[in-house]
Amino acid sequence: MRLHRLRITAFGPFAEPQEIDFDALSGAGIFLLHGPTGAGKTSVLDAVCYALYGSVPGPRQAPGTSLRSDHAAAGAPTEVTLELTAGGRRLEITRRPEQDRPKKRGTGTTKDKAQSWLRERTGEDWVALSRSHQEIGEEVEQLLGMSREQFCQVVLLPQGEFARFLRADEAARGRLLGRLFDTRRFAAVEALLGERRRAAEAKVRAGDEKVLHTAQRLAQASGDSADLRAWPLPGHQPGDPGLAGAVRAWAAVARCSARERLTVAEYALAAAESRHAAARRAAEDERELDRLQRRHAETTRRAALLAEAAPERERVRGLLDQARRGALVAPALELRGQASAAHLAAAHAEAAARAELPPALAEAGTGQLAAVEQRLREDLGALGAARRAEQRSAEIGRERADLDRESRAAEEQDQESAQWLERWEATRSALQDRADAAQQAATLAEQLAGRLEPARMHLAAARRRDALAAEAEHTAGELLSVREESAAARERWLELKEARLRGIAAELAEALVSGEACAVCGSAEHPDPARPAPGHVDRAAEDGAHAAFERAEEARAAVERRLAAVEEARAEAAAAAGDATTAELLDLTADLSSRHAAAHAAAAALHEARERLARADREHAARSADRLDSERRAASRVSRREALDREQASLDSELARVRGDAPTVAARARTLEDRVRMVSAAATALRRAETTAARLKEADDQLADAAFKAGFDTVEAASDAVLPEYERSALQHRLDGWQAEEASLADRRTEAGTAEAAALPPADPERAEARAARAAATLRTAGSACDAARVRCAELDRLSRQAEQELRALGPLREAYDRVARLAGLTAGTSADNERRMRLEAYVLAARLEQVAAAATVRLLRMSGGRYTLVHSDARAGGRGRSGLGLHVVDAWTGSERDTATLSGGETFFASLALALGLADVVTDEAGGMRLDTLFIDEGFGSLDDQALDEVLDVLDSLRERDRSVGIVSHVADLRSRVQAQLEIVKQRGGSVVRHRTAAAVLD
């Protein structure tokens, strides 16, 4: 990479456009960049870095820092253009940062975005390649093969930083080398292995915790035993290597102990079963003896009670004999009672029916009543046809009323339709006019809506324009005031500064000490020191005035920025509002709003008007059709009315003949029905009374015959002997019970063993049951213990198999963890195999540092006259530190190796410069061998004597062997006579300027 030309405009301290011709400066191989402090030497390097990468070196890229020159004119844009050759291509890069500029219209400023241009020279022409910041940055980084950090470290050699690099600890060296050589991939490998180690460790710990959990379950399942109390559960933690063997051994002991306890429990269960069977048999024998003894006592008691009930048995037997004979008479008694009751009821009914008959039939017999009933029924049957005729007559009346009602309704409808049809043309014309008017209103509303919204936007913009104009006027007045204050503060500061310079001799005289040399003339005698004149200005007064000027300038800049923002907003509002005034826009908006509201309200009736017109058309068609139908229905109603009149006259003559005295046929029918019902009831009651009298006489004869046959003297005696069925059943049940008891006692007396059992001592079944219950409880306890032992053995076997499976699955995980842990520890420098505790990234950086030290030593030997050599050391640091990035210097005069911190100031400059140049060579090779034909060395030469300075310049001059040019940035005055090609930065009140000085000419 070779720099050809740099153009700077309004950048840093440079107000006017400045051009730097690196081709002219590089002709001698070495050129000097010098100037007073603050003139802008470093700003030239910043401009080169900004042109290439779009930003200045890191320490100077502070937040809120502006690259624009404070001395530049308002209309001059801040711009940097760099012409260079990289990768065999001639390129031109132009960059403008984001900046404020005056508006093209009106007052105030507006902000321009950052811009970039990349051009390439092909032949005699320049071809534009890109205007994208990202594309240009990627293209430059690809051509140079270096990032901004590497470029600032390799091309713009910061000597102070390399001096710190020499004396820094290994961590600081690692940070710098990591930025330059990009060893993030090796750090990523360390992090990846660390993550895998932690993941594998987590899996192993999870597996161990799972095994320990299973072991805890084994301990819970094994219960409490003397063997396990003597052999407790292992106290291993997750990750302990002996965990598997300890768990296996403890599980084997637990299973053996559980099987022994199962054998003991089985023997105890067999003994308990034998004792329980014997106790159960003894209890059963005792219960049987108790049953026989109680049965014998119960038999004796019941026999005594049966003997006491003998007289009662005889009485019940006599009552049952009379009741059996009375039962033979009971049917006749029941039949006679029924006949008597029926006869009484029939007699009462006959008397009531005869009371309702007319006097002529009060004494009539059954035959006469039957004949009267037959005649009345014949008259009632003749009224059926008359009833139907009467119903038809009523229907004809209703039909005639319906016809009359329909005729009146049809006439009213015809009249209303005729009137409506007469008004049809006028109605239709009015509805059509309403629809047309609503349509016109809708069209007008749409037009007004299109004009209303822009009018409102213009009105809002006009109001904003007026408000911003007032604010701009106020801010302009404020700016005028702060500008006057700033100018006054500036004049005050300059006056004080000139006054102080005029009296500077007195200020220097105040520092004179008798006998000590003067800082100005060097004399130790001070015969007549200057005295402060009246009104002398000291440094504090000047600094105070300068501070006041800076505050005034800050206030002025702030007000200018605020005014620019207000002016820009006002211009935008004015452009949006147009030329009309706010009042005109307000009147226009109000007029459009009212007209639009009226048109919108009128247009709202469009849909209703169209619907009403359509309904009127449909109604006209329907009324025209109904008018024709109404005429046909009227003719039909006339014909129907005439037919009904003829039928009604025929029915009226027939009904007058049938009704007689009654008002209606129905009334005549009800009268005949009442007479038929009365005669029929009387005839029925007379026949029933005659029949029940005959049945009563027959029942008396049958009762007397039945009482005689049953052995009773009178009917009354037979009636008293009759008992109800439930009393006979109760007596028979008592007699049967006595007989059954007698038979049961006879059977018990013949049972075997009862008498022998009664002769034995009383039985005690409760005591025998208690002994059997205790034996059963012992048996249950033994059974539960045996079952628990079996379950314990099965659970221990299952958990042992589970633990074995978990341990087998844990084996590969532990192997994987050991392998990854060894690799992670080796790369992290914590493994015992890594004797020097060197991390992988540090190992790679150590190799790079070794290359840098070798490349630096080539130049350090020349600069130090063959005395010093830089060597890389991978010895471990003191304490707990790690090794890999040590840097020592070997002194050929003493043959000893010592730390770089012991070098003097000039020696440190030698070493740091050699280190910077060596690092540049290594980074260049790392970047793919890209040639770096232009280098800059920033400061550090002031610590060298004349001989050391010559040696350094010889080394730098040797760089021309590789066709390189080196720019030295320094204040050292001796370099101005030793280096012919110079770029001088001249500091002026209106901004710095550059001057080229070469052996051939001096260029302004």
Side-chain angles (χ1 to χ4, degrees), residues 649-699:
S650 175
L651 291 175
D652 289 343
S653 60
E654 182 180 354
L655 289 174
R657 179 177 54 81
V658 174
R659 283 197 299 264
D661 303 349
T664 62
V665 175
R668 177 63 178 171
R670 285 194 296 273
T671 300
L672 293 177
E673 287 173 354
D674 292 340
R675 292 177 181 178
V676 168
R677 186 168 50 256
M678 180 180 60
V679 172
S680 175
T684 300
L686 182 58
R687 287 193 296 271
R688 185 179 295 114
E690 292 175 351
T691 301
T692 55
R695 288 179 180 175
L696 179 59
K697 183 176 182 306
E698 184 180 356

Side-chain angles (χ1 to χ4, degrees), residues 403 406-407 410 413-414 625-639:
L403 289 174
E406 290 177 4
S407 297
Q413 182 65 29
D414 290 344
D626 289 345
R627 190 171 188 182
L628 297 176
D629 292 340
S630 177
E631 293 176 356
R632 291 193 295 270
R633 288 194 296 270
S636 175
R637 285 194 296 272
V638 171
S639 300

